[in-house]
Amino acid sequence: MTTTQLVQQIKKKKSFLCIGLDVDLNKIPKHLLKEDDPIFAFNKAIIDATNHLCVAYKPNTAFYEAYGIKGWQALEKTINYLNEKHPEIFTIADAKRGDIGNTSTMYAKAFFEDLAFDSVTVAPYMGKDSVEPFLAFENKHTILLALTSNQGAFDFQTKNIEGKEVYKHVLETSKSWKNSENLMYVVGATKAEFLADIRKIIPNSFLLVPGVGAQGGNLQDVCKYGMSDTIGLLINSSRGIIYASNDTDFVEAAAKKSEELQKQMEAILS
Amino acid sequence: MTTTQLVQQIKKKKSFLCIGLDVDLNKIPKHLLKEDDPIFAFNKAIIDATNHLCVAYKPNTAFYEAYGIKGWQALEKTINYLNEKHPEIFTIADAKRGDIGNTSTMYAKAFFEDLAFDSVTVAPYMGKDSVEPFLAFENKHTILLALTSNQGAFDFQTKNIEGKEVYKHVLETSKSWKNSENLMYVVGATKAEFLADIRKIIPNSFLLVPGVGAQGGNLQDVCKYGMSDTIGLLINSSRGIIYASNDTDFVEAAAKKSEELQKQMEAILS
């Protein structure tokens, strides 16, 4: 999917909501555990109830890998279901990968070809030759970790290198990489006050913003400081939506929470 | 496995060799492609021929994920084979994971419980709360990326924060994390001259050293500057061993290359 198509979807749906599919078998409604594939059953129910309210889904691969082969099968079924039923939806493999060149190419093949996601999250620590192999895939997007939503972001990301924080070096340096037009960035909603500075470095790039809701980030602040001329934001909510209820009404509860966020986004967009 | 047991194995085998199992179906001998599971068939043959010459195996997860479910199954079969046939061997999931707290716990479960590896490589960019969930597992080891073997290491890792390089901040900061005794570090052999400084910060920790051989690193230099009182080194070779031949003699060729390295290590240890 191109970013132009993503922007069209945002305008059509009046939403820039991304729903995180982080399925923990200890948290989903008990009645689903009887299903052959409880993880996929849960995802399918959530997708069926919320796809008109969001523009992206983001499974975090950790939650699938923790269940081994069955988990990986559930991830494959989920991305196939999305690509078949809702090809207009932007899909994000939240995998936070990154390795030396030939190895990053294998990760890129895993997520862009074998699983056919539109995008994958990548960690920047290993530098240019660990990220460029992902950028080489046409109409696929590499979402680079810049400033994450957790407390540990202050351990290294905000440390000062020659007058500028590490995450700003990541933003600036990455702009010079080959096919950098395929870059998007992760910036946590818990650090909304940093967004104005970030937009000075990358005025147009899409930002994937986790941390609204459960982690305490504020939607209005994120939009005030982070919105670009072409919107440029995907706001993620995971637990706040998918675990809004852990009972038989989980589908309705997830749709209600999604609609609340979509309505706030509609008001901001208009 | 404890580090004491690992040191015992090194002394017994007179080797601190780690063999990287980075299986690319385009590079393995053609006759193996007829097998039901060519990846596992290749790994089993390599393990059977080299297990007396090395103390660790390190599958890089990218090479398995690129083949989807079949790849994940081959990874599972490989670690199960190692744990059943060679429980004395130290196993490393080279996965370079790392995410916010609850998500890192899921990754730790994937590699320490579901797949039962002894250790996993982890990227430090997201800081303390992304690494500590891995450290919480007893007798399991978290191998933190410090200074990697690729050119991109110079993009951020060697940049200067208040008079000290980023990777040195990673080494120093990580020492204060909970259960830091379960930490090991990745330091590339291509940067052997940095090892003396690194040993001033972490005198005793085990270092996983990639980059000897195909990437140009030198074993003697690594040992000169990097060896600790209790050896403290695992030297990895992947392509140089497993693709020493891509013909029917690949097993003998891999054993020969492994033995060459083991003999060099024996000379250094004595």
Side-chain angles (χ1 to χ4, degrees):
Chain A
M1 183 182 293
T2 65
T3 46
T4 308
Q5 290 170 319
L6 175 58
V7 174
Q8 283 167 350
Q9 283 298 314
I10 290 173
K11 288 180 177 168
K12 187 175 165 190
K13 287 180 168 173
K14 301 180 173 63
S15 169
F16 40 99
L17 178 62
C18 172
I19 297 179
L21 299 172
D22 303 351
V23 187
D24 183 337
L25 290 180
N26 294 315
K27 289 185 182 166
I28 69 173
K30 293 283 169 286
H31 70 279
L32 289 178
L33 299 177
K34 288 174 296 189
E35 299 276 341
D36 275 352
D37 184 341
I39 301 175
F40 177 66
F42 179 80
N43 282 347
K44 183 177 176 299
I46 294 282
I47 292 166
D48 289 347
T50 58
N51 68 81
H52 59 297
L53 300 165
C54 69
V55 292
Y57 286 101
K58 180 179 76 63
N60 186 307
T61 54
F63 290 82
Y64 300 84
E65 292 175 27
Y67 300 111
I69 308 247
K70 283 188 178 176
W72 203 266
Q73 283 171 330
L75 179 62
E76 187 176 88
K77 277 195 258 180
T78 301
I79 184 64
N80 288 347
Y81 186 75
L82 282 169
N83 282 335
E84 280 162 26
K85 295 274 179 178
H86 304 288
E88 78 287 359
I89 296 252
F90 187 73
T91 54
I92 304 168
D94 194 1
K96 301 189 174 70
R97 299 299 200 263
D99 207 314
I100 61 171
N102 64 325
T103 311
S104 273
T105 300
M106 297 304 267
Y107 279 131
K109 284 184 182 176
F111 293 108
F112 292 155
E113 291 182 352
D114 186 65
L115 292 173
F117 276 92
D118 291 311
S119 66
V120 62
T121 57
V122 169
Y125 190 72
M126 294 180 68
K128 172 176 167 164
D129 55 359
S130 73
V131 182
E132 283 188 342
F134 291 97
L135 298 174
F137 287 70
E138 204 174 353
N139 289 331
K140 299 288 185 178
H141 306 269
T142 303
I143 311 181
L144 199 63
L145 302 187
L147 186 61
T148 56
S149 59
N150 61 324
Q151 186 61 28
F154 296 107
D155 284 334
F156 309 117
Q157 297 167 27
T158 58
K159 288 280 186 280
N160 205 302
I161 299 176
E162 292 159 14
K164 203 175 287 172
E165 294 93 334
V166 168
Y167 77 90
K168 288 187 184 170
H169 282 270
V170 169
L171 294 173
E172 286 191 346
T173 306
S174 66
K175 285 167 68 178
S176 69
W177 295 343
K178 194 172 178 189
N179 300 310
S180 63
E181 67 277 10
N182 292 333
L183 279 170
M184 301 180 174
Y185 299 91
V186 172
V187 178
T190 46
K191 302 182 177 61
E193 69 276 19
F194 294 75
L195 278 162
D197 273 2
I198 287 170
R199 277 299 183 204
K200 287 179 196 159
I201 305 172
I202 43 159
N204 301 314
S205 304
F206 256 90
L207 306 181
L208 171 63
V209 184
V212 164
Q215 293 179 57
N218 178 290
L219 178 64
Q220 279 70 28
D221 284 349
V222 169
C223 294
K224 181 177 167 189
Y225 298 111
M227 199 166 268
S228 74
D229 291 347
T230 50
I231 303 157
L233 291 174
L234 288 171
I235 306 285
N236 183 75
S237 178
S238 303
R239 288 168 280 173
I241 290 175
I242 67 174
Y243 301 131
S245 161
N246 66 354
D247 212 333
T248 49
D249 65 342
F250 76 103
V251 162
E252 295 77 11
K256 185 164 170 284
K257 283 285 175 191
S258 302
E259 195 171 7
E260 282 171 20
L261 281 165
Q262 184 273 322
K263 288 294 176 206
Q264 291 178 47
M265 291 175 181
E266 185 170 350
I268 291 167
L269 287 171
S270 67
Chain B
M1 185 183 292
T2 66
T3 46
T4 307
Q5 290 170 317
L6 174 58
V7 174
Q8 283 168 349
Q9 282 298 313
I10 290 173
K11 289 180 177 168
K12 187 175 166 190
K13 288 181 168 174
K14 301 179 174 64
S15 169
F16 40 99
L17 178 62
C18 172
I19 297 180
L21 300 172
D22 303 351
V23 187
D24 183 338
L25 290 181
N26 294 315
K27 290 185 181 165
I28 68 173
K30 293 282 169 290
H31 71 279
L32 288 178
L33 298 177
K34 289 174 296 191
E35 300 276 340
D36 276 351
D37 185 341
I39 301 176
F40 177 66
F42 179 81
N43 282 347
K44 183 177 175 301
I46 295 283
I47 292 165
D48 288 347
T50 59
N51 68 80
H52 58 297
L53 300 165
C54 69
V55 292
Y57 287 102
K58 178 180 78 64
N60 187 306
T61 54
F63 290 82
Y64 300 83
E65 292 176 27
Y67 300 111
I69 309 261
K70 283 187 178 175
W72 203 265
Q73 283 170 332
L75 180 63
E76 187 176 87
K77 276 195 258 180
T78 301
I79 183 65
N80 288 347
Y81 185 74
L82 282 169
N83 282 336
E84 281 161 25
K85 295 272 178 179
H86 304 288
E88 77 287 0
I89 296 253
F90 188 72
T91 55
I92 303 168
D94 193 1
K96 299 186 174 71
R97 299 299 200 263
D99 208 314
I100 61 171
N102 63 326
T103 310
S104 274
T105 300
M106 297 304 265
Y107 278 130
K109 284 184 181 176
F111 293 107
F112 293 154
E113 290 182 351
D114 186 65
L115 291 174
F117 277 91
D118 291 311
S119 66
V120 63
T121 58
V122 169
Y125 191 72
M126 295 179 68
K128 173 177 167 164
D129 55 358
S130 72
V131 182
E132 283 188 342
F134 291 96
L135 298 174
F137 287 71
E138 205 174 352
N139 289 332
K140 299 289 184 177
H141 306 269
T142 302
I143 310 181
L144 200 63
L145 302 186
L147 186 61
T148 56
S149 60
N150 63 325
Q151 186 59 31
F154 296 108
D155 285 334
F156 308 118
Q157 296 168 27
T158 58
K159 289 279 186 280
N160 205 303
I161 299 174
E162 293 160 13
K164 203 173 288 172
E165 293 93 334
V166 168
Y167 77 91
K168 288 187 183 169
H169 282 271
V170 169
L171 294 172
E172 285 191 348
T173 307
S174 66
K175 284 167 68 178
S176 69
W177 295 343
K178 194 172 177 189
N179 300 310
S180 63
E181 68 277 11
N182 293 333
L183 279 170
M184 300 180 174
Y185 299 91
V186 172
V187 178
T190 48
K191 301 180 179 64
E193 69 274 21
F194 294 74
L195 277 163
D197 271 3
I198 288 169
R199 277 299 182 204
K200 287 180 196 159
I201 306 173
I202 43 160
N204 301 314
S205 304
F206 256 90
L207 306 181
L208 172 63
V209 185
V212 164
Q215 293 178 58
N218 178 292
L219 178 64
Q220 279 69 28
D221 284 351
V222 169
C223 293
K224 181 177 167 189
Y225 297 113
M227 199 166 268
S228 74
D229 291 346
T230 51
I231 304 156
L233 291 174
L234 288 171
I235 306 285
N236 184 73
S237 177
S238 303
R239 287 169 280 172
I241 290 175
I242 67 173
Y243 301 132
S245 161
N246 66 354
D247 212 334
T248 49
D249 66 341
F250 76 103
V251 162
E252 294 77 11
K256 187 165 169 283
K257 282 285 176 193
S258 301
E259 195 172 6
E260 282 172 22
L261 281 165
Q262 184 273 322
K263 289 292 176 206
Q264 291 179 48
M265 292 175 181
E266 184 170 348
I268 291 167
L269 287 172
S270 67

